[in-house]
Amino acid sequence: MATVETKTAQPRERILQAAADLLAEGGREAVSTRAVSAAAGVQAQTIYRHFGDMQGLLDEVARRGYASYLAAKQAQDEDVDPVAQLRRGWDMHVAFGLANPALYRLLYTEPRPGQQFAVTGEAHQVLLRIVERVARAGRLRTGVEPAATMIHSSGMGVTLTLIAAQADGRLSHYEDLSENVREAVLGSVLAPAGHVAARPGAGAHHAAVHAVALKSLMRDGERSLTFGERALLGELLDRIAAGDGADADVDTDGPGRA
């Protein structure tokens, strides 16, 4: 069983380190009150005094373990191409999961009815801001929220698949999975660079991309419009982005749809 240094660290730090070590070595099931108490050299009451309960302890372990990854995502240069940021963010997410499989499972697969870990919520907000920048650049063919949800859920699925393959010693069999899925997902939500297409019927698709961009820009507020006018314009832009009312023979690929 893992033990931590009991002479130099305060009880709270010993408890956190013990829980993190147990999680890394044995997964969520290994982080019990008895195991943490023994590894940290404290009584169970000490855990509850510092963290309330074991869920509070796990939340803090998750927050600390996720901190460096989240800081790296937040520190990405906003002057660079936002599409490049999306790719880099995807790769960072997968790499974090493979380097910290037990922590990743705790963050993304631990049943928590009606709530989520705050740190994963922060990471999703970072993703939303990047997708928002993509929309403002006229490169998004869907709404910001749907695009972010597609990217996040697909990235999480790929990461969990690769974690399982890594545990079974089969990771080399999935060498191209992450990149292939990443490009497929981005291809479904992004408009091509320089997307003023020459093919017949491309006008509706072009309008949809600009509708998404304009709605994204309106999030900062347009003071020349009343609340009702902004709501109406938002609804009209949503319809344009979704291709509502477009002639069936204008774009058989479904303009504006992922």
Side-chain angles (χ1 to χ4, degrees):
M1 179 183 296
T3 58
V4 299
E5 176 58 53
T6 60
K7 295 181 180 179
T8 59
Q10 294 297 315
R12 177 182 172 85
E13 294 302 317
R14 299 205 308 269
I15 293 167
L16 284 168
Q17 188 60 57
D21 291 345
L22 288 163
L23 179 67
E25 293 170 9
R28 169 64 181 86
E29 295 74 16
V31 189
S32 66
T33 302
R34 178 178 296 179
V36 173
S37 298
V42 300
Q43 298 295 318
Q45 296 93 314
T46 306
I47 298 175
Y48 302 136
R49 185 168 67 249
H50 284 284
F51 301 99
D53 55 20
M54 288 302 292
Q55 188 60 63
L57 171 58
L58 285 168
D59 285 352
E60 183 61 15
V61 169
R63 186 192 67 78
R64 287 197 172 194
Y66 208 58
S68 59
Y69 162 73
L70 184 59
K73 290 201 72 169
Q74 292 172 327
Q76 291 191 79
D77 187 355
E78 293 196 355
D79 291 333
V80 304
D81 176 13
V83 174
Q85 278 190 297
L86 281 179
R87 288 191 170 92
R88 187 181 308 132
W90 176 292
D91 293 344
M92 289 171 60
H93 184 95
V94 174
F96 172 81
L98 289 174
N100 306 274
L103 178 59
Y104 189 90
R105 288 195 182 101
L106 174 65
L107 286 161
Y108 288 102
T109 68
E110 179 80 6
R112 294 170 62 83
Q115 58 180 312
Q116 63 177 354
F117 278 109
V119 287
T120 57
E122 290 178 45
H124 190 65
Q125 290 303 310
V126 174
L127 173 59
L128 281 172
R129 288 195 292 270
I130 297 173
V131 176
E132 186 88 31
R133 290 186 59 230
V134 173
R136 294 184 180 205
R139 292 291 311 277
L140 197 65
R141 70 169 81 193
T142 71
V144 171
E145 289 278 0
T149 298
M150 287 181 64
I151 294 167
H152 169 72
S153 58
S154 301
M156 184 172 65
V158 164
T159 305
L160 290 170
T161 298
L162 293 179
I163 286 173
Q166 180 175 252
D168 293 340
R170 298 181 295 108
L171 188 57
S172 61
H173 298 175
Y174 295 83
E175 183 177 357
D176 299 323
L177 177 66
S178 179
E179 181 178 354
N180 289 341
V181 175
R182 182 193 70 198
E183 293 309 307
V185 172
L186 293 185
S188 72
V189 300
L190 297 178
H195 58 269
V196 181
R199 66 180 177 83
H205 170 74
H206 190 53
V209 171
H210 282 287
V212 172
L214 179 55
K215 185 171 183 184
S216 179
L217 289 167
M218 286 176 57
R219 291 178 189 271
D220 290 337
E222 175 51 65
R223 295 183 181 180
S224 64
L225 300 178
T226 66
F227 175 82
E229 290 169 337
R230 288 197 299 272
L232 176 59
L233 179 56
E235 180 180 346
L236 293 173
L237 291 173
D238 284 341
R239 291 177 60 186
I240 295 171
D244 288 356
D247 292 336
D249 58 351
V250 169
D251 189 348
T252 56
D253 292 331
R257 297 186 188 276

